[in-house]
Amino acid sequence: MTSHDDHRPEELPTNTPHPETDPTTAEPTAPEQDVPTGADEAGDDWLGLSSLSVWANTAIVALFMVPSAIVATVVLVVVDQPLWALLPLPATGAFIALMTYLDMLRLRAVRYRVTADRMEMRSGIIAKAYRSIPRERVRSVDVAAPIYVRVFGLCTVTVGTGEKVGAGADQLKLEFVTAEQGERLRRELLRRSGTAGVSETSAEGEDGSVDEDGVELARLNPRWFAYAPATTATFGIGLGVIAALVGANAQSGGHGWQWISDRAGLPGGQQMADFVMSQLLLVVPLFLLGLLLSGVVILLLAALETWWDYRLTRESDGTVRLRRGLLTSVSLSVEGRRLNGVVLHEPFVLRSVRGASIQAVATGLEGGDDKKTSAKSRLSPAMPRSRARTLGAALMRQERSPLDVPLAAHPRAALRRRFTRATFVTLAGVALAGGLAWLHMVATESWWEVARTIEENVIPIPLVVESVEATPGWGWFALAIVLGVLAFWYAVGSYRGLGHGLHPKYLVLRKGMGVRDTVTLERSAVIGWRITRSPFQRRLGLADVSATTAAGAGMYSALDVGLGQGLAWADEAVPELLAPFLERPEGAEATEGSRPAPLP
Amino acid sequence: MSNDALRLRPPNHRVDRRAVGWWTTQALSVTVVLTVIPVVPALIWEPVRFWFLVAAGVLGGIGLLITAVMPRWRYRVHRWEITDTAVYTSSGWLWQEWRVAPMSRIQTVDTARGPLQRAFGLASVTVTTASAAGPIEISGLDHELATEVADQLTDSTEAVPGDAT
């Protein structure tokens, strides 16, 4: 989801407008003046934002401020301050009027146009800003319409380029234009005139309608929402809800609980605790169930909001278009040429129920960091894995799906490295357990008393300290052993997750245990190699071989691959690049892990 | 562990010999600063003097060890090469890195000289591509050579069309 409010042009005008030297456009406050009716194909005249956008902003400000003003008035009347009570509403009104006026000035100053080879935007009255993006640099067009904007028939258009000049400098944002204008911009900006290789059937000329959708790659299946709760966050979010309730209760000094129990005729806290302790076996599962349920509900709602009305299409010019969203409807278009691959994204919990989702590896979808990039690149909700694989294959338009390429395993030494790490984790766990067991032993009756008091103040139903006190000292070591087993299981899993392979057009990489990502990256999109070796890797003959690219996360790595194996793979993936820098000591055959099939 | 298979050959050129002096000075100054930090409270605060001096000693010892070993090691590893088609570098000491970028994907070429580098007559060449993996840096070149290299790179990248993404 894109944020839509935080990118206002900074130079809010604070003065009366200059006589703008814009002879072409009339006053934008005149209603419907701004809807272009196909007259700008010559690309000469500047367009303004929709005049309605002022009202959208006013409405949202009013929606938040008027109710609070009314509440303030009522409160002041109640506390018998009638004179003061006259203040909030007019003040709010004046404030909103001022905001509206300023917004109107901003709106009047913003002008944009799309010419044959550039998109230009002017803004600001005092500090004038002019920005211009060559159209060939436009990589993605993001059309978003949060609900309060959508009721006015408006939308936000964000034009992304692949530049990495600095945060925020790589995009151009229009807030807001009419929905038709947004749709037109989306189509126009990604339509190249001189691009070879893209079959341009200009079926949609001037129709401006949304009917011509191209090939549908995926459409929401409501059953997929069943995968939504399958995340590690289920537990975390549930825990967060409970903790928040408990925290609120503790903040009010337990009054909240008292209040509820008084109303509902529930027994008091002490009786409750006694009752609970006697039924511990019942309460713990119930508590966990509550945890799980609240998590499930929240995740379902989030998935519903994000993925409602999900559709993924490829339009006639190769542009891939994503549409989704319930309250904020989002339309994201990525130029087909810039979609350099896909990621099959399988977090552990989702993977264990045979689900997966698809993300794009595309230029122009970068967020500030890897996490934002990954969020921006999502092309599908969690869906059955087989469906996700089909979708990935359809996106790459290959006869034989790169996701089906058999992957070469990494050397056993990679497993040994993971075992070493697991051993360290286990040792740390045992050491910690020893320390805790020792503390457990020296802790006296009075200490337990203190701990219990603390817990009683924090949680309405104290459980933890009691059960800890009751556990014998060796319980800590049992926990350490469980941790050790988990660590080694994780090590084996992450070794099994490692893999690399080659498709005639794509290179394929897989890694991860907690989150397993299978990345396909077009071989022609590789813009360099980076090989790193730690002292341990040098000893074991391993290396991390990474392909650098302009798309997606910028770098995709084959971790702990055998040096010879990895270099052979890299050399084969991009033939002319690495070859001059390789040497074959005694002309030995490279360990061939990945055999690309003959070209289809 | 297929060590009989492919290997990376080291790039052709070493960096300037003066880089050893530059790295030594760098490491030494960091060591001095880190050692002085715990010495100050040790001087003014009697009861904990011993422990702070121990900390200073440990930091200083590690720092001196690194100062003695790292520059020579780096000098053996740091190398660079520019062919008609690509830039190839190796760097690091304990953790080592090799980078290759094709000429056609280079976006910008810069040279930079910090005050310390200038004192040794050195300069760095930074080669940026469109990738988020970070630029390729050849540090510790003779400053005239660095300018020459940057010019040569700029010329050859300009000869290649395309927007380097």
Side-chain angles (χ1 to χ4, degrees):
Chain A
M1 279 181 288
T2 54
S3 59
H4 26 81
D5 299 296
D6 53 353
H7 251 284
R8 283 299 132 68
E10 284 81 0
E11 57 287 334
L12 259 184
T14 50
N15 214 334
T16 42
H18 276 228
E20 256 288 74
T21 49
D22 251 348
T24 46
T25 354
E27 286 286 270
T29 34
E32 300 306 310
Q33 193 71 45
D34 49 323
V35 180
T37 43
D40 75 320
E41 282 308 81
D44 238 9
D45 50 345
W46 291 78
L47 298 172
L49 301 179
S50 167
S51 55
L52 281 173
S53 62
V54 173
W55 301 117
N57 280 329
T58 305
I60 195 71
V61 172
L63 205 65
F64 281 110
M65 292 198 62
V66 171
S68 43
I70 290 174
V71 168
T73 310
V74 170
V75 166
L76 285 170
V77 167
V78 168
V79 300
D80 212 15
Q81 294 277 359
L83 275 181
W84 284 106
L86 290 178
L87 191 63
L89 273 177
T92 309
F95 180 76
I96 292 175
L98 180 70
M99 292 302 286
T100 309
Y101 178 65
L102 292 181
D103 207 38
M104 207 130 57
L105 293 187
R106 171 188 78 90
L107 177 116
R108 224 177 267 193
V110 176
R111 288 280 184 282
Y112 71 92
R113 71 172 175 184
V114 181
T115 65
D117 43 28
R118 308 190 82 80
M119 168 155 188
E120 294 165 285
M121 175 171 156
R122 286 193 286 168
S123 60
I125 288 174
I126 305 301
K128 292 219 182 267
Y130 169 79
R131 301 191 50 199
S132 160
I133 296 181
R135 277 178 68 175
E136 72 202 23
R137 294 256 159 158
V138 174
R139 305 288 189 253
S140 67
V141 180
D142 190 343
V143 181
I147 186 125
Y148 73 93
V149 172
R150 206 176 339 150
V151 294
F152 287 94
L154 303 175
C155 61
T156 310
V157 177
T158 313
V159 180
T161 66
E163 317 286 283
K164 295 215 169 49
V165 188
D170 60 336
Q171 43 179 251
L172 203 149
K173 199 163 193 167
L174 296 174
E175 281 174 322
F176 309 98
V177 294
T178 55
E180 304 97 273
Q181 250 175 320
E183 170 65 19
R184 246 166 45 93
L185 275 173
R186 190 187 68 73
R187 277 166 185 254
E188 247 170 52
L189 283 173
L190 287 177
R191 192 167 61 201
R192 298 287 138 79
S193 40
T195 319
V198 182
S199 59
E200 257 208 84
T201 49
S202 58
E204 87 280 338
E206 262 300 300
D207 54 351
S209 69
V210 212
D211 294 325
E212 185 51 60
D213 266 352
V215 191
E216 183 171 281
L217 301 171
R219 173 187 282 277
L220 183 74
N221 182 341
R223 280 189 207 151
W224 295 344
F225 283 124
Y227 285 100
T231 70
T232 30
T234 319
F235 213 70
I237 292 181
L239 201 64
V241 168
I242 303 263
L245 285 177
V246 167
N249 189 41
Q251 286 282 319
S252 60
H255 292 308
W257 178 252
Q258 201 127 41
W259 187 81
I260 293 176
S261 40
D262 283 353
R263 288 302 126 102
L266 290 174
Q270 189 53 50
Q271 288 156 278
M272 198 72 162
D274 290 345
F275 175 75
V276 159
M277 283 317 293
S278 62
Q279 311 247 341
L280 197 62
L281 281 180
L282 193 70
V283 165
V284 171
L286 275 181
F287 178 74
L288 286 176
L289 194 71
L291 213 66
L292 215 61
L293 272 180
S294 52
V296 164
V297 167
I298 287 169
L299 281 164
L300 267 178
L301 288 179
L304 216 61
E305 146 68 2
T306 312
W307 293 108
W308 186 253
D309 204 19
Y310 162 70
R311 258 189 303 166
L312 192 67
T313 49
R314 176 181 283 111
E315 311 202 333
S316 47
D317 57 352
T319 303
V320 170
R321 183 179 183 199
L322 165 75
R323 267 166 294 182
R324 60 174 175 82
L326 183 62
L327 295 181
T328 297
S329 75
V330 173
S331 157
L332 173 71
S333 300
V334 182
E335 190 197 348
R337 197 160 56 99
R338 298 294 165 186
L339 187 66
N340 295 127
V342 299
V343 180
L344 184 73
H345 184 67
E346 300 170 283
F348 176 74
V349 181
L350 187 58
R351 186 164 84 237
S352 55
V353 295
R354 309 184 65 77
S357 67
I358 288 285
Q359 297 174 348
V361 177
T363 324
L365 288 183
E366 295 85 3
D369 49 56
D370 276 6
K371 214 169 172 183
K372 277 189 199 153
T373 305
S374 158
K376 243 184 142 179
S377 308
R378 291 180 303 173
L379 289 185
S380 89
M383 47 164 74
R385 182 162 47 207
S386 52
R387 183 71 189 83
R389 296 183 84 98
T390 329
L391 175 60
L395 277 167
M396 288 181 284
R397 287 197 275 193
Q398 294 297 312
E399 216 164 89
R400 185 165 150 260
S401 169
L403 286 171
D404 292 338
V405 167
L407 299 183
H410 292 201
R412 299 295 282 186
L415 180 62
R416 207 180 313 156
R417 281 199 83 193
R418 275 151 192 77
F419 275 158
T420 314
R421 286 178 206 161
T423 311
F424 276 114
V425 170
T426 312
L427 287 180
V430 170
L432 192 67
L436 285 172
W438 179 73
L439 276 181
H440 198 111
M441 241 162 58
V442 298
T444 55
E445 195 56 35
S446 57
W447 282 103
W448 286 120
E449 206 51 55
V450 171
R452 210 174 297 142
T453 328
I454 291 172
E455 197 190 20
E456 264 162 25
N457 281 324
V458 178
I459 309 177
I461 308 164
L463 285 175
V464 181
V465 174
E466 300 263 354
S467 37
V468 167
E469 193 185 359
T471 339
W474 53 260
W476 297 112
F477 287 101
L479 279 181
I481 287 169
V482 170
L483 177 73
V485 170
L486 280 179
F488 276 90
W489 167 77
Y490 190 92
V492 172
S494 62
Y495 171 70
R496 290 218 177 119
L498 291 176
H500 62 279
L502 275 184
H503 175 271
K505 291 207 106 132
Y506 286 82
L507 53 87
V508 189
L509 288 166
R510 192 182 60 199
K511 66 156 180 251
M513 174 65 186
V515 176
R516 184 162 297 168
D517 279 341
T518 313
V519 179
T520 67
L521 177 67
E522 248 176 312
R523 286 155 71 161
S524 59
V526 174
I527 61 172
W529 293 99
R530 176 174 182 257
I531 294 111
T532 54
R533 305 185 79 188
S534 71
F536 315 106
Q537 285 178 317
R538 285 204 294 278
R539 204 165 55 80
L540 293 168
L542 299 176
D544 289 348
V545 178
S546 319
T548 62
T549 172
M555 185 165 71
Y556 294 97
S557 313
L559 297 181
D560 281 335
V561 72
L563 181 64
Q565 187 189 22
L567 291 176
W569 170 76
D571 183 35
E572 204 177 332
V574 188
E576 67 281 11
L577 182 52
L578 207 53
F581 311 120
L582 295 177
E583 59 183 10
R584 239 172 264 260
E586 53 261 10
E589 189 74 2
T591 41
E592 195 57 59
S594 34
R595 287 164 295 279
L599 273 155
Chain B
M1 277 170 287
S2 43
N3 279 334
D4 53 337
L6 281 178
R7 224 178 278 169
L8 283 164
R9 72 168 170 77
N12 275 341
H13 310 290
R14 278 180 195 278
V15 298
D16 198 282
R17 181 80 214 178
R18 280 169 291 175
V20 177
W22 171 47
W23 287 320
T24 310
T25 321
Q26 236 177 0
L28 204 59
S29 37
V30 172
T31 306
V32 167
V33 169
L34 285 183
T35 315
V36 165
I37 288 173
V39 165
V40 173
L43 285 183
I44 52 181
W45 201 13
E46 182 78 48
V48 292
R49 177 168 295 169
F50 175 72
W51 292 108
F52 274 100
L53 284 180
V54 166
V58 169
L59 282 175
I62 294 174
L64 284 180
L65 189 70
I66 290 177
T67 311
V69 174
M70 182 271 281
R72 256 154 259 280
W73 197 337
R74 270 195 191 279
Y75 183 68
R76 285 204 347 238
V77 176
H78 277 243
R79 283 162 166 272
W80 61 278
E81 180 176 344
I82 292 164
T83 68
D84 291 341
T85 53
V87 178
Y88 176 39
T89 65
S90 63
S91 60
W93 53 299
L94 273 175
W95 273 260
Q96 297 176 359
E97 179 185 87
W98 291 260
R99 295 282 300 261
V100 181
M103 215 51 107
S104 57
R105 308 300 188 125
I106 292 171
Q107 283 186 329
T108 60
V109 182
D110 310 294
T111 57
R113 305 180 70 191
L116 200 55
Q117 284 208 55
R118 202 173 307 181
F120 284 92
L122 298 172
S124 307
V125 177
T126 307
V127 177
T128 319
T129 65
S131 165
I136 298 181
E137 192 177 305
I138 314 172
S139 52
L141 292 181
D142 177 80
H143 71 98
E144 273 164 20
L145 180 63
T147 317
E148 225 172 89
V149 166
D151 287 347
Q152 184 201 336
L153 274 173
T154 313
D155 286 347
S156 23
T157 44
E158 268 169 9
V160 185
D163 63 354
T165 53

